[in-house]
Amino acid sequence: MAVETVYRSCPTCEASCGLALEVDRATRQVLSIKGDDRDQRSRGYVCAKSQAFHYVHEDPQRLRRPVKKVAGGWQEVGWEEALNDVAARLGAIRNEHGKDAIAMYYGNPNGHNFHSQIYTQLLIQMLDTERFFSAGSVDQQPKNLGCELLYGNAWLFPIPDIDRSDFFVCMGGNPLVSQGSLMSAPDIGRRLAAIRARHGQVVVLDPRRSETALAADRHLFIKPGTDAFLLLAWVHWLFAGNRVRLGHLAPFTDGVESLRTISKDFTPEATAAITGVPAAALRQLAGEFADAKTPVLYGRTGLCTQRFGTIASWLIDVVNALNGRLDAVGGAMFPLPATGHTEPPAAAQPLHRGRFRSRARGFPEYLGMLPASLMAEELECEGEDRVRAMITLAGNPVLTVPNGKRIRAALQKIEFMVALDFYVNETTACADYILPSTTQLEHSNYDFMFTTTCVRNFARYSPQVFQPEPDSREQWQIFTDIVARMSGMTLESLTDLMRDGLIAQVLASPALPQGLDAAKITALTGAHPHTEQLLDIMLRAGPYGDRFGLNPAGIDLDRLKAAPHGIDLGPLQPQRLPAALATPGKRLALAPQLILDDVRQRLLPALQEARDDRTLLLIGRRHVRDMNSWLHNLHQYARGKSRCTLLMHPQDARSRGIAEGDEALIRSRVGEFRVPVALTGDIMPGVVSLPHGFGHRYRDGGQTTAETLIPGVSANDLVDDGELDLASGTSVVNGVPVEVRAVPAPSA
Ligand SMILES: Nc1nc2c(c(=O)[nH]1)N[C@H]1C(S)=C(S)[C@@H](COP(=O)(O)OP(=O)(O)OC[C@H]3O[C@@H](n4cnc5c(=O)[nH]c(N)nc54)[C@H](O)[C@@H]3O)O[C@H]1N2
Ligand SMILES: Nc1nc2c(c(=O)[nH]1)N[C@H]1C(S)=C(S)[C@@H](COP(=O)(O)OP(=O)(O)OC[C@H]3O[C@@H](n4cnc5c(=O)[nH]c(N)nc54)[C@H](O)[C@@H]3O)O[C@H]1N2
Ligand code: SF4
Ligand SMILES: [Mo]
């Protein structure tokens, strides 16, 4: 046995911790996965899910070959047959019924696969469908919209500089469990403890006293979906007390007076009854924040996936900006990824919104996509321009998107479906073909996305650990092969197209040597295959790159590969604005009209709305051993006490005759089922919590461990697909009105 150590980053969550894998390549065995002590960011830290990609690799139920649905089950078929048939069926539908007859859903794990993420552009462009959905609209889309309006780039996120902050306020995130999101920070527990050790404070506002809240100095209960009120009251307080300090943002910032005007009616008193946060508590928080040296405000999915998601997410940046904490050390700053993909383009681009609308209710697209919550109603549309085919890429909307059971029913009716996934799950079970990719152990990776969300700049290359099994394919190859067949091109010509497109973009940069042209860049980077050539081009042209010789000390892919523990690119940098802005005239328009309209049209009237205090509001929660819907077939994570319980305050339970451990009936506008109840004083009275990603109850047979050990119920069978954050089209999965009742005793 020849044991080798391979260093790479963990591909399972945003934190992207450094790992050291002991492997025997000859027998394709992983002997151990431990933290990489020499990774500057994670310093040996790993969580329970660090083993997940290995367990997935070994799971006997993971698909290794394409399967085709036949009477009575699934039949393995060869790649050529599968790809030919899929491309022919999709091609025929498109030729006969137009491009929008093919719908697509793009799931979260694509963001953890560099190659797939880069090449998706090709698939999107070729399909050019208006029926394009993604997990992003059950996640960060309000943040995208806010960033696009404020900074001109939907993917330029301000990230809390928690390592240098002395006052960290967390709203709608539970980083101790999620490991940080839009704040990729391995070992967040250590980082939060360090804030307190340097006499700083951690404050959490959450309807549940979450794991993060339990580790904080202060926790304030806030009613689900009301953060926008609280944050506008915070803005109100800043103006009322003359505490607005823009700092270096002042010379290029507009809209401050509009913020004063729009926040006028939102006094701490007027909003307290709505939010449940007393006016005095808000004043104290706002005052301490303004007085702290390096405070930062952070908001995540609990703020995005709610009724006023865009307003609340935008206000996070506004409060930071008005306190002089945006683009400042210890505040919220913009990462500078080595691949240069958040550099501003030469000219500002128009907003990527409203260029087409959904069929059923005329809802505007955002970033070329329709809201995932509208998937079922779009799939159900009848008539000549109806959806006839569906492609899913690594996603499980039947469990992860509101009213998933309606999506499942709709998928079962369409003419043709192909799933690019390696499990038969609640969604892919509806497909005619499932095309499984290699696993993360079988291909290289680069944390492309998470170098834009990290709390410290870094670059790390993850080498392939094992050669792919014979006759297996990578995700990007599978869909590029389909594109090739549908467009009559070859895989090679498509990869050339991708490369040439990137080179044309790169050549527009002023920071490259004179006389450099496409042929030279192609030749200089040609030793790297396909996607890795693209990575090399991006790195070399990027802000730390060798600029193809102009900056000989800079990085390229070979240098990155020679640094097995990754390259530390230092702390986030302040004062990147206005240069990093991609807005007209490089101005920071803090009060965009689109959001002001939403405040006037929806938030202001809601200030007067009568409140029904008997209705319970459902929120979600995450557990450290879960990853949305998809690690439940791993018995290592599935065993133990069920974590799919409804958390309820004892007071709410008692008044309904429900006791600890009882099954209760829970009902919303769109669904109803029984669920075991767990009582806790750590949830706000009037609020109940259920995790998402469970409900492995369809007996599809592809994940029998999940079905047996940890079936649970699907929270998304209760979440209303009719409710949206209107500006961004994001699902409202937090703050869902529900009724909970004791199960009636059987009559004698
Ligand atoms: N109620 C409620 N709903 C939510 C949320 C919530 O908080 N509450 N959270 C939302 C959020 S933030 C997200 S991101 C979405 C996630 O929603 P989805 O992306 O739809 O769901 P996942 O469970 O991540 O699905 C992952 C799928 O990808 C497949 N997969 C994983 N890795 C690979 C790979 O390498 N290759 C291939 N071929 N397949 C792979 C898995 O088999 C699985 O089928 O859920 C959202 N839904
Ligand atoms: N273990 C684990 N880790 C994960 C995932 C997972 O499924 N499991 N998923 C990954 C993904 S895809 C993502 S996007 C991230 C998400 O990362 P986070 O956003 O940190 O994760 P959540 O646990 O959903 O945190 C949301 C918090 O918001 C609170 N909340 C709900 N409604 C409201 C509200 O109206 N106002 C306020 N202020 N708070 C509210 C909830 O109680 C919860 O504590 O996690 C990632 N990491
Ligand atoms: S925190 Fe995330 S990246 Fe780090 S080991 Fe756990 S799953 Fe992997
Ligand atoms: Mo997510």
Side-chain angles (χ1 to χ4, degrees):
M1 183 187 271
V3 178
E4 286 172 70
T5 306
V6 181
Y7 298 97
R8 54 161 296 155
S9 51
C10 174
T12 301
C13 88
E14 276 184 41
S16 311
C17 300
L19 302 178
L21 285 76
E22 286 204 314
V23 301
D24 179 4
R25 285 191 157 126
T27 59
R28 298 174 60 82
Q29 277 187 78
V30 175
L31 307 169
S32 73
I33 301 180
K34 298 203 177 88
D36 176 2
D37 295 331
R38 282 179 283 174
D39 181 294
Q40 209 286 338
R41 298 169 58 251
S42 57
R43 302 183 197 167
Y45 171 82
V46 288
C47 84
K49 281 193 305 296
S50 55
Q51 315 295 312
F53 68 125
H54 174 214
Y55 296 155
V56 166
H57 182 76
E58 307 248 291
D59 186 352
Q61 285 193 306
R62 175 174 62 81
L63 298 176
R64 276 120 171 121
R65 299 276 171 278
V67 291
K68 176 183 180 174
K69 192 175 276 163
V70 291
W74 297 96
Q75 182 191 14
E76 265 193 19
V77 290
W79 279 105
E80 288 306 301
E81 180 189 337
L83 291 169
N84 284 337
D85 200 21
V86 165
R89 298 281 300 268
L90 291 175
I93 287 173
R94 202 163 76 140
N95 289 342
E96 233 171 285
H97 305 287
K99 64 186 183 55
D100 301 326
I102 303 176
M104 174 154 84
Y105 175 83
Y106 187 71
N108 169 279
N110 293 294
H112 295 267
N113 180 337
F114 168 75
H115 315 281
S116 177
Q117 205 178 1
I118 293 295
Y119 266 71
T120 309
Q121 207 44 46
L122 204 59
L123 179 66
I124 293 171
Q125 278 170 9
M126 198 279 296
L127 290 177
D128 190 27
T129 174
E130 294 187 356
R131 267 82 171 245
F132 178 22
F133 308 89
S134 87
S137 54
V138 199
D139 189 345
Q140 82 295 334
Q141 219 149 270
K143 198 80 229 169
N144 292 131
L145 181 56
C147 290
E148 192 176 2
L149 289 166
L150 261 50
Y151 318 121
N153 181 346
W155 303 98
L156 183 67
F157 301 116
I159 305 298
D161 183 22
I162 46 169
D163 293 344
R164 290 180 290 179
S165 173
D166 67 345
F167 197 93
F168 174 63
V169 182
C170 173
M171 297 178 75
N174 186 13
L176 228 50
V177 169
S178 68
Q179 311 288 343
S181 180
L182 299 189
M183 181 174 70
S184 311
D187 200 2
I188 189 93
R190 165 178 63 84
R191 294 170 196 265
L192 295 182
I195 296 179
R196 303 180 68 191
R198 42 180 199 267
H199 309 293
Q201 284 197 64
V202 177
V203 182
V204 174
L205 288 98
D206 198 299
R208 182 169 81 86
R209 194 172 294 113
S210 64
E211 292 74 2
T212 308
L214 285 168
D217 297 275
R218 194 183 321 162
H219 167 242
L220 297 167
F221 278 131
I222 181 166
K223 274 195 207 159
T226 68
D227 304 81
F229 296 94
L230 177 127
L231 290 165
L232 262 182
W234 191 330
V235 172
H236 177 101
W237 179 91
L238 284 164
F239 284 108
N242 196 18
R243 297 297 301 260
V244 172
R245 301 280 179 274
L246 283 175
H248 79 285
L249 304 177
F252 52 89
T253 296
D254 302 315
V256 176
E257 281 313 302
S258 306
L259 293 171
R260 183 197 298 274
T261 312
I262 202 88
S263 62
K264 198 167 90 355
D265 294 329
F266 295 82
T267 61
E269 279 70 23
T271 53
I274 296 176
T275 62
V277 177
L282 172 59
R283 286 208 167 85
Q284 186 193 348
L285 175 64
E288 287 176 358
F289 192 94
D291 292 338
K293 247 170 74 194
T294 51
V296 67
L297 176 62
Y298 164 71
R300 199 43 277 268
T301 54
L303 255 65
C304 287
T305 51
Q306 56 146 290
R307 189 173 167 206
F308 300 112
T310 298
I311 303 176
S313 301
W314 159 72
L315 283 169
I316 293 283
D317 292 17
V318 167
V319 169
N320 278 328
L322 296 182
N323 278 287
R325 302 310 304 148
L326 182 70
D327 197 29
V329 170
M333 289 191 286
F334 301 95
L336 187 61
T339 40
H341 60 290
T342 56
E343 307 281 277
Q349 293 182 5
L351 189 69
H352 296 90
R353 182 176 181 275
R355 292 159 300 175
F356 58 86
R357 287 176 175 266
S358 72
R359 297 294 192 281
R361 69 170 91 168
F363 199 87
E365 61 82 30
Y366 181 53
L367 299 174
M369 293 175 281
L370 292 174
S373 274
L374 303 190
M375 195 149 81
E377 68 178 42
E378 287 299 293
L379 292 176
E380 288 165 3
C381 278
E382 292 184 352
E384 182 40 41
D385 66 347
R386 69 179 181 273
V387 174
R388 296 167 196 259
M390 178 75 178
I391 308 176
T392 64
L393 272 86
N396 190 6
V398 171
L399 296 191
T400 58
V401 172
N403 210 351
K405 58 187 178 314
R406 183 175 171 196
I407 296 175
R408 174 144 167 144
L411 287 177
Q412 281 168 333
K413 287 198 191 122
I414 62 172
E415 269 168 47
F416 183 69
M417 173 171 164
V418 53
L420 272 64
D421 205 295
F422 47 38
Y423 278 109
V424 177
N425 64 22
E426 294 71 19
T427 302
T428 63
C430 304
D432 297 282
Y433 278 98
I434 307 178
L435 308 178
S437 71
T438 48
T439 74
Q440 291 276 0
L441 285 171
E442 297 170 311
H443 59 78
S444 66
N445 203 13
Y446 180 77
D447 310 300
F448 186 65
M449 179 72 204
F450 309 119
T451 56
T452 66
T453 61
C454 51
V455 300
R456 191 176 170 94
N457 290 314
F458 78 108
R460 186 169 178 145
Y461 174 80
S462 293
Q464 178 189 56
V465 178
F466 298 138
Q467 284 296 322
E469 275 177 36
D471 203 23
S472 62
R473 313 226 170 159
E474 290 188 32
Q475 182 84 337
W476 73 272
Q477 286 173 321
I478 300 170
F479 60 73
T480 307
D481 252 331
I482 297 174
V483 171
R485 284 169 164 81
M486 285 178 75
S487 59
M489 294 173 76
T490 62
L491 191 81
E492 285 308 315
S493 57
L494 285 168
T495 55
D496 288 353
L497 204 69
M498 285 292 292
R499 186 199 57 219
D500 295 345
L502 175 66
I503 291 178
Q505 259 177 40
V506 158
L507 280 173
S509 158
L512 296 184
Q514 296 282 317
L516 192 70
D517 60 22
K520 283 187 189 147
I521 294 183
T522 306
L524 281 169
T525 54
H528 303 286
H530 303 306
T531 37
E532 296 211 346
Q533 184 176 17
L534 304 189
L535 180 57
D536 192 34
I537 295 170
M538 286 190 254
L539 289 171
R540 298 181 73 169
Y544 315 88
D546 78 346
R547 311 267 186 188
F548 303 99
L550 210 57
N551 174 25
I555 56 179
D556 63 5
L557 185 54
D558 288 330
R559 286 219 169 111
L560 190 61
K561 285 184 175 177
H565 312 289
I567 299 180
D568 175 33
L569 298 169
L572 304 186
Q573 293 300 314
Q575 309 221 353
R576 296 212 35 232
L577 304 186
L581 293 174
T583 50
K586 291 211 181 281
R587 303 289 300 176
L588 173 62
L590 263 189
Q593 197 56 45
L594 181 73
I595 303 183
L596 293 188
D597 289 347
D598 200 22
V599 173
R600 286 198 194 94
Q601 286 158 17
R602 291 199 305 143
L603 197 72
L604 201 55
L607 199 53
Q608 315 299 338
E609 227 169 59
R611 280 173 295 280
D612 168 10
D613 285 333
R614 284 160 313 167
T615 306
L616 295 170
L617 295 177
L618 175 71
I619 61 167
R621 91 180 170 269
R622 288 177 153 83
H623 186 281
V624 76
R625 288 198 287 166
D626 299 319
M627 189 63 187
N628 299 312
S629 77
W630 78 279
L631 299 180
H632 293 152
N633 206 50
L634 309 174
H635 64 90
Q636 296 93 335
Y637 296 136
R639 62 188 170 214
K641 224 172 101 193
S642 167
R643 39 199 195 261
C644 188
T645 54
L646 185 75
L647 294 186
M648 199 169 187
H649 194 277
Q651 192 179 305
D652 290 324
R654 209 175 308 123
S655 65
R656 288 167 176 79
I658 297 167
E660 168 72 24
D662 280 2
E663 281 220 320
L665 269 172
I666 183 164
R667 179 155 66 151
S668 71
R669 190 186 76 83
V670 301
E672 174 171 2
F673 49 67
R674 288 179 181 204
V675 59
V677 171
L679 302 185
T680 173
D682 284 339
I683 195 153
M684 194 175 190
V687 179
V688 289
S689 162
L690 190 63
H692 73 286
F694 291 91
H696 307 289
R697 292 182 173 271
Y698 289 103
R699 303 277 161 222
D700 294 315
Q703 298 198 323
T704 48
T705 304
E707 287 172 9
T708 327
L709 290 183
I710 200 164
V713 286
S714 178
N716 280 313
D717 284 346
L718 295 171
V719 179
D720 195 336
D721 49 338
E723 283 287 321
L724 292 175
D725 165 45
L726 289 185
S728 68
T730 303
S731 306
V732 180
V733 306
N734 286 297
V736 180
V738 291
E739 241 177 74
V740 179
R741 287 184 290 132
V743 176
S747 49

